[in-house]
Amino acid sequence: MVASVDAMATQVGVEILRQGGNAVDAAVAVGFALAVTHPQAGNLGGGGFMLLRTASGRATAIDFREMAPGHASRDMFLDKQGNADSKLSLTSHLASGTPGTVAGLALAAQKYGTLPLSTLLAPAIKLARDGIPVNDALADDLKTYGKEVLINHPNSKAIFYKPDGTPWQKGDRLVQKNLGSQPATDCPSGAGCLLQR
C-alpha cells in the first residue's frame, strides 16, 4: 500500500512496487515526486525522518532533518533592540537550514532499497519536465502564502508565477525545468549531483 498527500506522487510509489521495488524504494520515489507535486511541503530544501522495519524484523530510523548552518548563532533572530523578530526566523535568508532530504532519501535507497537511485528519481524528473496540473491546495497556497514570501524572491517567482505576475491557478500546468534536469552522469549515486544543483 502507498499513501501520500498527493495522488500523482502516490501513483509513483505504486508503479515502483509494480517494477519490483520494495517499500523503501516506493517511499524514496514518492519523496522525490512530492518535491514536484507538493512543493509547499519543503521537500528537497528541508529534511525529515524515516522509520522502517527490515524484512528480518529489525527496526531502524534515518534522521535527515535539516540542520542549522555552521555560522548560526543564538542571537541571529533578534532585532537591534534585542527582541525576537519572527520575520527573521520565518521568512528571511536566516531562516534557511542546511537541507537533508536528498542525502537522507539517497541513503535509505542505498542501504535498504533494491532499485537504483536513477530509477527512483526518474518519475519525479518526468513530472517536473512534463509539468503537473496545479490542484486546489497548491493554487490556494500560492495565492495566500506566495504573496507574502515567494513573490519577493525572483527565482521562486519565476517558477510559481506566470509572466504577468499572477500565481498559477487550478488547472494550469506547472513545469519545473530545474527539477526536470537529469543528474550528471559522473556522480556515482546521483545524490551528490542533486545537492550541487
Side-chain angles (χ1 to χ4, degrees):
M1 181 175 81
V2 179
S4 81
V5 70
D6 180 79
M8 286 181 290
T10 298
Q11 189 57 42
V12 164
V14 170
E15 291 303 321
I16 290 296
L17 292 176
R18 286 185 178 143
Q19 292 177 38
N22 65 16
V24 172
D25 292 320
V28 168
V30 168
F32 284 119
L34 285 170
V36 178
T37 65
H38 193 65
Q40 61 268 52
N43 305 109
L44 298 181
F49 304 93
M50 181 182 286
L51 295 172
L52 59 99
R53 183 179 170 114
T54 65
S56 66
R58 185 173 144 249
T60 190
I62 301 173
D63 176 355
F64 52 93
R65 187 79 175 142
E66 64 271 27
M67 297 173 59
H71 290 287
S73 69
R74 183 177 70 97
D75 297 333
M76 64 192 278
F77 300 128
L78 301 180
D79 64 18
K80 291 178 182 174
Q81 291 75 39
N83 301 310
D85 183 341
S86 63
K87 288 192 178 199
L88 289 176
S89 65
L90 295 173
T91 60
S92 80
H93 68 284
L94 297 173
S96 298
T98 301
T101 297
V102 173
L105 293 177
L107 176 68
Q110 177 188 14
K111 287 190 76 165
Y112 302 104
T114 59
L115 298 177
L117 185 59
S118 60
T119 300
L120 306 179
L121 286 167
I125 291 169
K126 182 174 177 15
L127 287 168
R129 188 176 48 236
D130 295 349
I132 60 160
V134 173
N135 60 24
D136 283 322
L138 180 53
D140 202 40
D141 282 347
L142 289 175
K143 186 172 79 175
T144 306
Y145 303 112
K147 68 182 176 187
E148 293 177 18
V149 179
L150 296 179
I151 201 161
N152 299 317
H153 299 279
N155 289 335
S156 298
K157 186 177 178 184
I159 296 167
F160 295 108
Y161 281 76
K162 299 176 190 179
D164 69 3
T166 60
W168 295 107
Q169 297 175 355
K170 181 182 177 183
D172 289 340
R173 181 157 297 279
L174 172 61
V175 175
Q176 298 172 72
K177 290 181 183 177
N178 288 347
L179 291 180
S181 301
Q182 293 288 343
T185 56
D186 60 346
C187 293
S189 68
C193 299
L194 287 174
L195 291 170
Q196 295 169 15
R197 290 185 184 273

